[in-house]
Structure formats: structure tokens, C-alpha cells
């Protein structure tokens, strides 16, 4: 196997982000293929017994088993690390495999975690239900409130975990303050950056220690595979994550890694265009007299903070209808172009009712606390012509009596 320049950090670090998204991590075989090769192999063979012994002893580089390393996954890891500006990255089977690995590889019984209140439902489940079973205490805070983070710190606090913008209320967290606070107290900050991706927001530039992804979302971007990724220092990846990942096995299949590699080539184009489309659609919805929460709109209470840490506000926003669940479902049922779907980041526009889908498991009290109202809808704006989306929403609103 021959390495090409896509693996040479001294070169790729000089490239601008769009160039990295297309080329970083490319690791060509002796055939010189243009596209990244798909290595569907579980194991590897060796020329002699000494080679494999040296690899197992960690004295020689090279692959030993696809639970530890796979060339296609390694290309994706190098490309995501280059986009993030991170020392290292490892990919996992799903976003939740990444989130759970980040917490479980780092925390032990007797530790304490502080987590943002508005979050992906499964992240809240891990913090609220799984970690306590292993003796890990938690405090859940309104992540928009800097003072709440400070007040939650205890002597045994080892991790801050939050997303920004947060699902589905689009709460924005002050990255510089919260990551800086963590660092000042020797606490590891983990930022779930699925809504923004490194194209729109790079939390490490604000002091984040670990950046976690559901690559299912904008990174794949075409609704094809599930995938996750963790970016961090070489030390955290090697010392903390890898012993956990190697031995518990939440790895990404090579085929899925290959699909996400293809997605990254167009991530920059898609993230920016979908952000523009979302703004156009959100402005229409607001103009129609419906309350909208989108960090890109001046009406969002944290608009200025969002735009000080994001290049664009992303494809997702929430809207709030009077008339509760019934009105929200009537709008969904009247759509003719936008699909009813709980996925996000897709090139197709998708809409869902969080209270009965993504945030159903939190129960009514959890939803009230997280701001998930009965009349709330979440819209992921895709790559269609925004005028077609606006016309679809307009007719659906009219049919639902709005
Ligand atoms: C989707 C999502 C996850 C979970 O990712 P999967 O790939 O579905 O496992 C975690 N966090 C956020 C913010 C998400 O949007």
C-alpha cells in the first residue's frame, strides 16, 4: 500500500477546509485508484510471524483486525480530524455509539457529569438512566445559563456534555465560556456538534476537548447510513477511547465509512446551501405569523451568540403552532413535498413532531422542562428549491387553518 499526500499532515494542514473535505485522508493503494478504496475485510495477513508479533506488541505499524483498524475507516478518521482541526479522530457505528463511548470511556463510579438539558433524547437517557446505574452522578442544567454550569461543578465533576445548537429547541451554548470553565477546573468538555458540523462550527477553536458527531446527519447528508465520530487530542483517543473501543467493539463498518467519505466531499456545499435555504423558509414561516426558533434569525434570543460562533446557522429550525398536537399533526398530514420524517441533515426536507417521536420517551414532564411543546414541529431544510418548500408549507398551513 502506498500513502499519498492525503495522509501527510504537514501538507493537509496547509490546505483550506474545502480542499481538506475532498482530499485529506486519501490513502491510495498500489493501483492508484482515484476514489477511496473500500476494504471489506475483517482480518489481515502477514508475510511472517515476527511481523504480526511486532504489530501486536505495538512495536510496528500496521493493521491486525478490523475491530482495531480498517483502511477505509482510517481514511474517514483522517478526513474528519483534518476538517475539525483535531489531532485525532475515531469513528463509531452510530452517533449514539460515539456519545456513549465518550462518556463510558472517560467516567468511573464516583464521578459526576454536568449535561445540557435540551439534548438528543438518547443522550439524555444515557445521562439520566445509564450512568447512575454505574455510580456516576449527574446534574442537568439549562445549558444557555453560564452561571448554572459554574454552580453545578463539584470536586468530582469530570465531564461537561452538551450540544449546540440543541435538539430540538435550538438552544445555543456559549462555547468559549463553558469550555473555558471546564478547562479551568480540569473538567473534560464534550460537544455534540451534529447540528453544525465542522463546516459551520469548530468547537475546538473555543476550547472544547472532545467533539462528538452523529455522522448520520449532515456528514452523510443523504440519509443513507448511520455513523458516529469522536475528535480529540491524540492522548485522549489513545489512552481513553481506544482501550474502550477496541475491547467493546462499537466500530463503523467499512462500507458505511466509505459512504460518509463520499458525503464529506460535498459537505461544505450542502451545509452552506441548506443553511441559506433554511433561512429563506424560516423567514417565510415567521412572516406567516408562526413563532420560529432558528439561530440564524434575529428573533432567536441567542442570535448574536450563535452567529459569533457559527459561520451559518444550519438547516434545522423549530416552529410553534397554536392548537397543540392536533394542529401540528394536521400540518404534517397536509404536506405534499416535505416528508414526514424524524431524520435531520438530509438533502431532502423532512419534518417531524418531536413530542410524539424523537422526544416521546422523555415523558410530558421531561418535555416541558426541555421546551418541547405539543404544537412544536422541527423542520430540516434540504437542497430543494426553497420556493417549492415555501409553497408546500403555505398550502399545508392553509389546509390546517393557519
Ligand atoms: C442524531 C443525533 C444523535 C444520534 O446519532 P445516531 O447516528 O442516530 O445514533 C446524537 N446527537 C444529536 C444532536 C443528533 O442529532
Amino acid at each position: 500500500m502506498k500513502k499519498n499526500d492525503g495522509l501527510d499532515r504537514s501538507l493537509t494542514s496547509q490546505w483550506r477546509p474545502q480542499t481538506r473535505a475532498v482530499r485529506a485522508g486519501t490513502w491510495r493503494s498500489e493501483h492508484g485508484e482515484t476514489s477511496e478504496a473500500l476494504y471489506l475485510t475483517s482480518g489481515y495477513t502477514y508475510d511472517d510471524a515476527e511481523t504480526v508479533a511486532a504489530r501486536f506488541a505495538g512495536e510496528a505499524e500496521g493493521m491486525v483486525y478490523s475491530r482495531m483498524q480498517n483502511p477505509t475507516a482510517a481514511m474517514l478518521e483522517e478526513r474528519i480530524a483534518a476538517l475539525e482541526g483535531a489531532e485525532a479522530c475515531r469513528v463509531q457505528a452510530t452517533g449514539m455509539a460515539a456519545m456513549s463511548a465518550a462518556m463510558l470511556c472517560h467516567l468511573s463510579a464516583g464521578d459526576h457529569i454536568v449535561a445540557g438539558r435540551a439534548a438528543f433524547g438518547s443522550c439524555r437517557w444515557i445521562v439520566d438512566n445509564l450512568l447512575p446505574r454505574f455510580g456516576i452522578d449527574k446534574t442537568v442544567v439549562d445549558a444557555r445559563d453560564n452561571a448554572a454550569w459554574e454552580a453545578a461543578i463539584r470536586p468530582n465533576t469530570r465531564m461537561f456534555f452538551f450540544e449546540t445548537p440543541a435538539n430540538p429547541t435550538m438552544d445555543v451554548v456559549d462555547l468559549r465560556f463553558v469550555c473555558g470553565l471546564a478547562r479551568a477546573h480540569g473538567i473534560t468538555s464534550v460537544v455534540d456538534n451534529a447540528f453544525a458540523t465542522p463546516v459551520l462550527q469548530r468547537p475546538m477553536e473555543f476550547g472544547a476537548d472532545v467533539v462528538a458527531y452523529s455522522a448520520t446527519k449532515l456528514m452523510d447528508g443523504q440519509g443513507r447510513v448511520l455513523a458516529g465520530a469522536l475528535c480529540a487530542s491524540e492522548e485522549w483517543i489513545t489512552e481513553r477511547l481506544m482501550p474502550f473501543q477496541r475491547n467493546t467493539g462499537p466500530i463503523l463498518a467499512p462500507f458505511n465509512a466509505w459512504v460518509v467519505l463520499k458525503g464529506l466531499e460535498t459537505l461544505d456545499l450542502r451545509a452552506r446551501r441548506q443553511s441559506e435555504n433554511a433561512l429563506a423558509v424560516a423567514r417565510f414561516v415567521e412572516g406567516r405569523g408562526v413563532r420560529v426558533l432558528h439561530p440564524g434569525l434575529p428573533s432567536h434570543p441567542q442570535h448574536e451568540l450563535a452567529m459569533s460562533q457559527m459561520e451559518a446557522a444550519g438547516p434545522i429550525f423549530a416552529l410553534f403552532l397554536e392548537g397543540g398536537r392536533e394542529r401540528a399533526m394536521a400540518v404534517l398530514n397536509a404536506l405534499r413535498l416535505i416528508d414526514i420524517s424524524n431524520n435531520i441533515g438530509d438533502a431532502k426536507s423532512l419534518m417531524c413532531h418531536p413530542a410524539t417521536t424523537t422526544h416521546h420517551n422523555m415523558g410530558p414532564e421531561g418535555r416541558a422542562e426541555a421546551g418541547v411543546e405539543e404544537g412544536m414541529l422541527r423542520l430540516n431544510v434540504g437542497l430543494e428549491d426553497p420556493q417549492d418548500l415555501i409553497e408546500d408549507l403555505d398550502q399545508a398551513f392553509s389546509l390546517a387553518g393557519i
Side-chain angles (χ1 to χ4, degrees):
M1 197 124 42
K2 186 173 137 218
K3 290 188 183 191
N4 92 332
D5 293 333
L7 287 182
D8 179 353
R9 283 281 177 99
S10 63
L11 184 67
T12 58
S13 64
Q14 293 172 29
W15 291 342
R16 288 159 187 84
Q18 286 88 341
T19 309
R20 292 183 205 172
V22 178
R23 289 188 170 267
T26 300
W27 182 2
R28 292 196 171 113
S29 77
E30 67 274 26
H31 304 300
E33 64 280 351
T34 324
S35 165
E36 290 70 21
L38 174 51
Y39 291 92
L40 291 176
T41 185
S42 44
Y44 303 89
T45 61
Y46 317 93
D47 287 342
D48 50 66
E50 288 76 15
T51 301
V52 55
R55 287 188 192 177
F56 270 87
E59 290 156 6
E61 270 193 51
M63 315 234 161
V64 296
Y65 191 54
S66 280
R67 179 152 40 76
M68 286 73 155
Q69 321 92 353
N70 175 275
T72 310
M75 286 191 254
L76 176 61
E77 291 167 344
E78 183 64 20
R79 187 167 297 173
I80 295 175
L83 285 174
E84 196 65 46
E87 283 179 17
C89 168
R90 286 292 178 276
V91 291
Q92 292 80 26
T94 65
M96 286 322 303
M99 306 303 158
S100 53
M103 291 190 241
L104 293 173
C105 81
H106 192 85
L107 297 169
S108 302
D111 289 346
H112 173 243
I113 181 172
V114 186
R117 185 176 72 185
F120 191 72
S122 295
C123 295
R124 281 294 306 268
W125 184 87
I126 294 174
V127 168
D128 292 341
N129 298 299
L130 184 66
L131 297 184
R133 280 176 40 205
F134 297 93
I136 299 158
D137 275 343
K138 47 104 183 175
T139 303
V140 175
V141 296
D142 179 343
R144 296 167 297 185
D145 181 356
N146 288 350
W149 288 99
E150 203 153 9
I153 295 174
R154 300 184 196 163
N156 58 339
T157 305
R158 299 278 318 283
M159 182 175 278
F160 281 1
F161 185 97
F162 62 94
E163 51 187 89
T164 181
N167 190 12
T169 49
M170 309 309 288
D171 288 359
V172 177
V173 182
D174 185 336
L175 281 167
R176 194 181 303 281
F177 178 87
V178 176
C179 296
L181 180 69
R183 199 155 278 190
H185 287 80
I187 296 165
T188 296
S189 55
V190 181
V191 181
D192 179 345
N193 200 34
F195 270 42
T197 80
V199 169
L200 303 181
Q201 172 174 275
R202 288 168 299 282
M204 284 184 174
E205 292 175 2
F206 300 91
D209 296 307
V210 180
V211 181
Y213 285 103
S214 168
T216 314
K217 310 299 166 56
L218 271 170
M219 285 191 176
D220 169 35
Q222 287 155 72
R224 303 170 297 195
V225 296
L226 281 91
L230 293 170
C231 298
S233 67
E234 187 71 55
E235 187 192 350
W236 191 85
I237 295 281
T238 313
E239 308 284 325
R240 292 267 167 202
L241 178 66
M242 282 318 285
F244 179 88
Q245 179 156 329
R246 241 195 319 268
N247 294 301
T248 60
I251 57 138
L252 183 62
F255 178 75
N256 292 1
W258 182 84
V259 171
V260 179
L261 268 167
K262 302 291 106 192
L264 290 184
E265 292 187 358
T266 54
L267 175 63
D268 190 272
L269 288 171
R270 288 183 287 104
R272 289 179 204 279
R273 176 63 76 85
Q274 287 181 241
S275 296
E276 273 173 36
N277 290 356
L279 262 186
V281 175
R283 282 199 192 99
F284 160 78
V285 174
E286 209 167 50
R288 199 68 162 59
V290 172
R291 184 162 72 92
V292 171
L293 275 178
H294 184 36
L297 289 178
S299 57
H300 189 287
Q302 297 171 288
H303 172 63
E304 274 170 38
L305 172 63
M307 298 330 292
S308 74
Q309 54 193 33
M310 300 181 78
E311 288 192 25
I316 302 144
F317 65 86
L319 50 118
F320 298 83
L321 303 172
E322 281 169 29
R325 178 183 296 206
E326 206 177 325
R327 182 64 62 74
M329 288 194 167
V331 167
L332 284 177
N333 291 336
L335 294 168
R336 290 196 292 216
L337 168 62
I338 299 169
D339 291 304
I340 303 173
S341 173
N342 44 285
N343 198 11
I344 53 166
D346 200 289
K348 295 184 175 70
S349 292
L350 310 173
M351 204 171 195
C352 80
H353 182 240
T356 51
T357 58
T358 51
H359 292 68
H360 170 72
N361 278 342
M362 292 174 86
E365 279 165 31
R367 284 197 292 278
E369 186 203 58
V372 182
E373 297 174 17
E374 286 289 320
M376 173 196 222
L377 291 169
R378 186 188 71 191
L379 176 57
N380 167 73
V381 178
L383 290 173
E384 303 95 338
D385 188 313
Q387 196 53 41
D388 288 329
L389 302 172
I390 286 169
E391 286 169 16
D392 191 32
L393 284 170
D394 195 32
Q395 64 84 25
F397 285 162
S398 295
L399 275 175
I402 297 163

